[in-house]
Structure formats: structure tokens, C-alpha cells
Amino acid sequence: MSNGGGRTFFGHPWGLATLFCTEMWERFSWYGLRAILATFMAASPAHQGLGLSQETAQAVVGVYGALIYLVALPGGWVADRILGARRSVFWGGFVIMLGHISMAIPVTTSFFVWLGLLLIITGTGLLKPNISVMVGRLYPEGDDGRRDSGFSLFYLGINLGAFFAPIVVGWLAAGDRWHLGFGAAAVGMALGLVQYVWGGKSLRGVGERPGLRLTRRERRRFTGIALAAVALVAVALGVWAAAGTLTVDRLTVVITVLILIVPIVYFAYILLGSHNLTEDERIRMKAYIWLFVAAAVFWMIYDLAPSKLLFFAADHTDLSLFGLPIQAATTQSFNPLFIMIFVPVFAALWLKLGTRVSTPQKFAFALVMVGLSFVVMALAAALAGAGRVSVWWLVLVYLVQVFGELSLSPVGLSVTTKLAPEAFKGQMLGVWFIATSVGDAVGGQTGRLGRVLSDPAYYLVLAAMAIVAGAALFMFTKKLRVMMAEHHDPAMR
């Protein structure tokens, strides 16, 4: 395609095509691994798995997802102060690829699995936040309409990768060929890197330099602190291992507790320090904390898809659609498929409703939807007691959940920027992702409820939590709107 301004991609700068394909392949690798990770960990060594309990596998997947979102904060800082966004994306993708290769090594030791996950977490922290920054910088100041449209295309690339990955990787990994599935994820990331380097010229220098490069003295100090932190963690783990009490299960609990402490400390720092915050900013921040907690509860349930719901698909459903056999991993493709179908519907709906529906109401609706999805799961689990149930139960669950996601996720970043105090505008975007991190980590630990609850009761307990939280938000919508000053600004939602 071309116009007077040179090659374009659906009317956008050609650099968007490069970033679109890079992100699509990176998401292919991420969602491909995610679709088989829990079942691989819970599979017995006789089936080439790690032999963990489903409860521990769920906790590991939860912590893994949580750390992915948490490391976006330091990843953004490294790009701003050391590498620049462009090199951060490349090296992030390269490290992700090494992580998948490590997991694809067909050996019986679990060392390469844990090394691979650590590399993927590190690489994603560098790539994920910075590739989005580069998309925004392709457009000149004031070109908000085209920028928003460009991000919509970019979002499509994410969901295309997320849709195809579980189908391809799940098929390759069938019959205990786990490492073949991990290898496919490595190939996906490699293709993304080739595309990124090949299309580098189209980026027109975007993200080449750090926004505020560290001085030589600052860099030495940063290197010293980073090495000291790594050494401290290594020593602590070494001492714990030497004591003979270190287990994967206990480690996930410790990491979850540390992740929970992060937002508590951060919000306390904002509200208890002076930072020249006005009284209005403090009130809006208190309102935001309630929305943050609501988002964490939402993600706690929503992100059980690659663990608890994946196990249900594998153990309790008749894996066939329209008479065709499918893999358990393929059920992970339902979500991105529904997102691609309903994104334009919800975008049009929010536009039509305008300010008649407030942000707290959208969050409340999201919580009720994700809660109702687990009421459906409770029914499916009860029926599964008599034998395998239709996989269409999971199709319905994911459909209901997507209605919730499209009511919460798109407005989350928007409301974060609107409620952020002036002194914390840049940092607060990262705080929104911490809500997902907290939700994923806690959701992973909910598997322990299986010790005292039946499966239907487990789903109903989590459903009740979400629905009660949603009802509370609906009840306090008026007060929250006043705290957010949403009633003053008709453009806010």
C-alpha cells in the first residue's frame, strides 16, 4: 500500500506493520507456552511432565503471570534510562527466545524449565511495555485519532497471536511432546525478532535513544545495586535450600506475599508523603484504591484460565467441537476469539452510552460478569461428577468473562491517568498492571481451597466474592463519582 507519504499499513505508518508482527509473534510464544504450562507441570514424569500437584502447578502459573506484569515497571525504567525502547524490545525478545529454547531442551531435569521461565519473565519485562511505547511514538503530537486507531490494530495483532498459539502449540505438544510445544513458542519469538530487525528502517529512529540516559556515575551505582540484589536473593534461596525447607509450593507463597506488599507500600508512600498533593488529588487517589482492589479481584478469577479451567478442560470435558477432536490447550483460544468479535461492539456501546455509565459501574458490571462465569463453572463441575461434560460449558464461561473484560480492561488505563496525582502521572500507568499482578498471584493460591472445598463449592466461593464486590461498587457508585470528581467533567468515564 502506498500514498503520498510513502508506504503505509492500513493508512498508518509502515513501522506499525513491523511492531504489529513482532508483537503478534511474541504473543504467540507467550500464549503458546501458557496454554500447556500447567498441564505439563502436573503431568507425571512417566508422561514427561514435572509431576507437581495441580494445586502447586496452579500456584506456579499464577506467580509466573504475576511476575510478568510486575517486571513491566523496571523494564520501562531500563528503556528510559539505559537502553532506549528499540534496543529493549530486541534484547527482550532475544531473552524470551532463549527462555523458550531452554524449556524445549528434552532432558529430565527441571533446571532448564525454571531457567526458561526466569528468562521469559525477564525478557517480557523489557519487551512488553516498550513495544507499546514505540507504537505511540510513530505518530506526531496531536494525531490522537490515528494513534488510537493504530493501537486498535496493534491490539488485533495481540489477539491473533493469542488465538492461533494454543491451537498450534497444543496440537504439537499432544502425546506428551511438551518440548515440541515449547520449541514452537521459541520459533514464534524467533520469527518475531527476524521481522523486527528486517523492518527496523520503517521505525524511522523511534525509540533509539533513552529518554533520560543515566550518567556514568549513575550507571555504576545502578549496576552495583542490581548485582547486590541478585546476590541477596541467591544467598537467601541458598540458605533456605540448605535448611531443607525450600519447596516450589512454599516459594510461590513467599512471592505472592511480596507482590501483595508492593501496592500497599506504594499507595502508603503516595498518600502519607507530602509530594505537594492537593486535597482533591488525595481524595481521587483514595477512590482509585477501590477501583484497584476491584480490578485485582477481577483478574484473580479471570486469569485462572490457564490453570484451573485448563485442568477442567483436560480432566472433565468431552474435547470435541462440531464433532472434531480438539486438545485441552485449544480451549485457551476461545477468549481471544471472543475479544476480537466483541471489541468493536463494546467500543460502539460505550460511545453510545457516553457519560450515562460511570467507571465504577463498568468495573462493577465486570465483577458481576466474571462472578457469573464461575456460577456457570460450578454447574459444569457439579455435572462433571457424573462423567465428562460438553466443552461448550467452557465456551459459555469464556463468553461471559469477555463481556466483563471489555468493561474493565479498556477503561482501566484511562481512569488511572485521570486519577493520578500530577507528581505520579508516569508511574501510575505501571500501578494499573500491579492490579493484574496481585490478582494473578492470589488466584494461583486459591487452588489451596480445593483441600477443604469440592470443585463446585470452590467456583461458587470465588463467584460470590466477585459478585459481592461488584454489588458493593454499584452501591457506592455515587460516592465514588464524587470522590473521582467524575460528575464535574462530562468527558470523564
Side-chain angles (χ1 to χ4, degrees), residues 467-490:
I467 292 170
V468 167
L473 264 189
F474 272 126
M475 285 172 58
F476 292 103
T477 288
K478 192 172 181 181
K479 185 171 183 180
L480 281 172
R481 288 194 79 171
V482 171
M483 292 172 73
M484 294 163 60
E486 203 172 61
H487 62 307
H488 293 316
D489 183 358

Side-chain angles (χ1 to χ4, degrees), residues 377-398:
M377 276 305 305
L379 288 170
L383 291 172
R388 288 183 178 263
V389 298
S390 169
V391 78
W392 288 100
W393 281 97
L394 283 175
V395 173
L396 178 59
V397 168
Y398 286 121

Side-chain angles (χ1 to χ4, degrees), residues 166-323:
I167 299 171
V168 174
V169 173
W171 174 70
L172 288 171
D176 304 333
R177 299 189 303 263
W178 307 107
H179 297 289
L180 198 57
F182 298 143
V187 170
M189 191 64 255
L191 288 171
L193 281 174
V194 169
Q195 163 70 28
Y196 185 66
V197 173
W198 180 65
K201 287 183 181 177
S202 66
L203 297 173
R204 300 176 300 186
V206 167
E208 281 193 349
R209 292 185 178 83
L212 185 63
R213 192 188 294 273
L214 291 178
T215 63
R216 190 170 294 176
R217 184 180 176 186
E218 288 173 329
R219 188 173 291 204
R220 279 200 301 268
R221 187 180 170 212
F222 165 74
T223 303
I225 291 172
L227 290 174
V230 170
L232 186 64
V233 171
V235 168
L237 288 174
V239 170
W240 193 2
T245 55
L246 173 60
T247 65
V248 172
D249 201 45
R250 287 172 180 159
L251 182 61
T252 65
V253 174
V254 170
I255 295 172
T256 298
V257 170
L258 292 173
I259 288 170
L260 280 168
I261 290 170
V262 171
I264 294 170
V265 170
Y266 196 83
F267 285 127
Y269 170 69
I270 292 174
L271 290 173
L272 301 179
S274 67
H275 313 299
N276 295 316
L277 263 61
T278 66
E279 190 56 32
D280 280 349
E281 285 179 328
R282 288 185 189 279
I283 292 171
R284 286 200 292 270
M285 202 67 242
K286 288 173 183 175
Y288 181 75
I289 291 173
W290 290 106
L291 297 178
F292 179 94
V293 172
V297 172
F298 176 86
W299 296 116
M300 175 186 76
I301 295 175
Y302 188 87
D303 278 348
L304 288 175
S307 54
K308 190 70 176 177
L309 300 196
L310 181 62
F311 289 134
F312 185 84
D315 299 337
H316 300 296
T317 66
D318 175 20
L319 288 167
S320 67
L321 275 176
F322 304 109

Side-chain angles (χ1 to χ4, degrees), residues 322-334:
F322 304 109
L324 297 172
I326 62 170
Q327 301 299 324
T330 305
T331 60
Q332 300 294 290
S333 291
F334 299 159

